[in-house]
Amino acid sequence: MNWLLVAIVCLVSASASAQERVQRFARTIEAPAARGTTLHLDRLPDANSWDVRVTDARSAKTLAVASLPEWAGSEYYEYTVRPITLGAALVVVLEAAPSASAPPDATSFQVAFARRGRQGTWREIATTQSSVLDGGATELVVRDNQPQLIRTTTGPSSFCGSSSAVQVFDTDLLAFRTSLDLSTVAANATPVKATLPAGAFVDDGLPNYFLWFLATSDRRNPDDSRTVIRPIELGDGKLKTAWAEGRPDEGAGQFVTARINPALKLRGFRIFPGNGADATSFAAYARPTSVLISTETTSYRVDLPPSDFDALSAAGGYFVQLPESVRTRCMTLTLLASVDGNATGEDAWKAKATAISEVTPVSELYGLPKDFAAVVVVEKLLKESDTRNTRRLAALTAPLGPELSGILEKVVNDGSDEDRARVAPLLMNIPSEQAVPILMDLFREYTADSSFYLPVRRGLELHRELAGPKLAKLLQESPPSDPRVLVDLVRLVGRLAEPDDLRFLTASLGQGDTLLRKERIRAVSRAGATVIGDLFAVMRSKPNSAAAEDALKAIYSLGRKLYPNAPETTQDAAILEDLALNSRQSRTRMAAVRCLTYFDGPTTTDSLAQILAQDRNPLVRRTAVHALNPRVARQARVAIESALNDDSPDVRIAAAESLASRQDGLVSVPALKAYVANETWPRGLSAGYSVLVQLADNSTQAFLEREMLRDPYDERAVIVADALKRRNPQPVAHRRRTVTQGHANNLSAETPHHRRPWHRGVAGKREHSQGLDHQT
């Protein structure tokens, strides 16, 4: 059939290619460098989008294409084409502006293509759905007697705190790159000194305080328009790795930007200008002599004094302290001036590639003794009103754990509830050895209505390895009196304690309200197979009690989890059999039968067969069918077959479906044929015929076809056809399948409802059964 598929695909492709495109706008590009080139706005007739295409006028070949939404071709748009020559590059911009009749919310858009030289390839460079290109302005700007196509920057996420960064079209890259108007940015910058410290730089050790995430250029990838360059070398803490800008000039205007955690103010930064790998590399590369530092609100100009490699290496670089600490979410470092390196020959490019080994922003805690820094952090938490900063500060100052613990304990003991609520998030981040004792005291002594209760509970969950055994001991020896705290404690113990430490919970089964009992059952179920014997012991020693009821639920949960494929053999199954046979409550009998799905004993199959034959509740009998199904013994299959004659249609359907999943299901085909012969309920017939379709051999398939052809207008024929359609059996002869499907379609489409009776009379059932016996 592969040749047919290929033919169909070819025909469809030929048909699509032959379709005439719907033309909305076309214009020849009026520029010498684009002679013979046309810009189209068109689409295929059945398309839901418009294409902007640059085509060759002679061959009609598409040279470049951009797709636009369906509204881009609306009648109220007026289109213009604007060619712009930039040196050897040609840019063509399609601009669409809404006319006076356009809706008030009509969107302007622009699509720009570019090509370098007459033989170059056309490329889409920008698409917008606003009145300006990508959020900026498209215009010719004369700078240094050179025309440029510029657009405004994407915002402070690229260059921190300034709108002077712009996107300039690079004729070499045929793409936009970020550039700066340095004179504007640096005009009001505050001068700040860089000093060479007497001792080596030591980081304050705060994790995730900063992250260098963007650079406008990079030696390894100078195409800054295609890849977001992350200058990871600037923040890896290694002087032997360096970031080097990759623009062809000396790097003036190139910048790098870091995210700063605003929970702590920015105090300053360490900078190692040049390549710090060794003295030779330091001399080979260009080094910055002046940089601009920008935050969200302020800018600083830093002149870096000359220094030899050995002095810089010993100190780890210069340190720059800001006049005052600044709260900011970002920091940008821009190259203003550099000194050339001395590399020559094949490495001559290094002399112009400005390198920086490290730039390390430091917080307001930098240089403070850890115990004093801990006091500052706690004071900040007590004064902080922004919960987001509270969480950030708690995560940021985790390394101060040992110093923080003593101060936090004092706040917990002597402070107000509001103070406890403010410092509680810190307890989630400091080491467990310091945090858990404080958290346990808070959890033990205060109620669930306390404002700090939730962070305390979360803190215990985070410190699970140390908190789990302590919580289990608390629950075992002195459980809290607050009902909500008690429920949460049971839940925490179930989640955090080791399975072997949960067995003590069986002694309190059945105690408390419904919510507490449910949580205890979940916790006990997590203990695994080791607790099953304890649960049966509870049922044996406390029959007909709430404890036995909870134990039964836990046994079912464990059985479903541990033995989903085959029941586990145990002598304790006799306890479940006794409940299933003799309990006066249907709910208890059903729960016991459900457990017997996963537990087996010497007499379990006999007991389930007895329940299936004698229990007065059809729901219990149906559950017994499911419990018998995993058992491979012939006796189990015979019992399920007997359920095909049950008074309850639900039990009959469950029996039919169970036979379909058994390995010996084919043996039950005669019983299933007899079942469908006498079944009158449509859902029962559907289940029976569906099972026969699943178990079908050649004889059974012939039987199903005869069932359909016996009376094509009977509802049975429709049900059989539906079952065959769902299974789509392949072995049925093509001619007979065609007739069968034809009858099914006729019945579905043409047979009136009153000619499809749902029920046969008794005589009809017997006649049908006799015919069945004759045929089989």
Side-chain angles (χ1 to χ4, degrees), residues 157 196 238 371 382 413 567 646 686 692 724 737:
S157 60
L196 198 64
K238 301 174 183 177
D371 54 351
L382 296 177
N413 293 332
D646 195 275
S686 178
L692 284 171
L724 287 168
R737 183 171 66 248

Side-chain angles (χ1 to χ4, degrees), residues 686 689-694 696 701 704-705 708 716-730 732 736-738 740-749:
S686 178
Y689 284 121
S690 295
V691 173
L692 284 171
V693 168
Q694 292 181 53
Q701 290 170 6
L704 293 170
E705 290 190 25
M708 292 183 61
R716 286 177 179 270
V718 178
I719 293 173
V720 176
D722 287 341
L724 287 168
K725 183 178 180 181
R726 287 193 296 269
R727 178 62 186 268
N728 191 23
Q730 296 299 323
V732 180
R736 299 292 296 273
R737 183 171 66 248
T738 303
T740 300
Q741 292 177 349
H743 280 301
N745 293 335
N746 290 337
L747 286 169
S748 302

Side-chain angles (χ1 to χ4, degrees), residues 456-477:
V456 167
R457 196 180 68 188
R458 295 191 190 105
L460 290 169
E461 291 177 349
L462 288 172
H463 298 289
R464 57 185 310 127
E465 291 186 2
L466 188 60
K470 293 183 179 296
L471 290 168
K473 184 178 180 180
L474 175 64
L475 179 59
Q476 191 170 7
E477 296 179 356

Side-chain angles (χ1 to χ4, degrees), residues 205-209 261 263-264 363 391-399 429:
L206 299 182
N208 303 321
Y209 179 62
N261 192 322
L264 289 173
S363 75
R391 291 193 295 269
R392 294 189 187 108
L393 187 59
L396 192 61
T397 55
N429 295 280

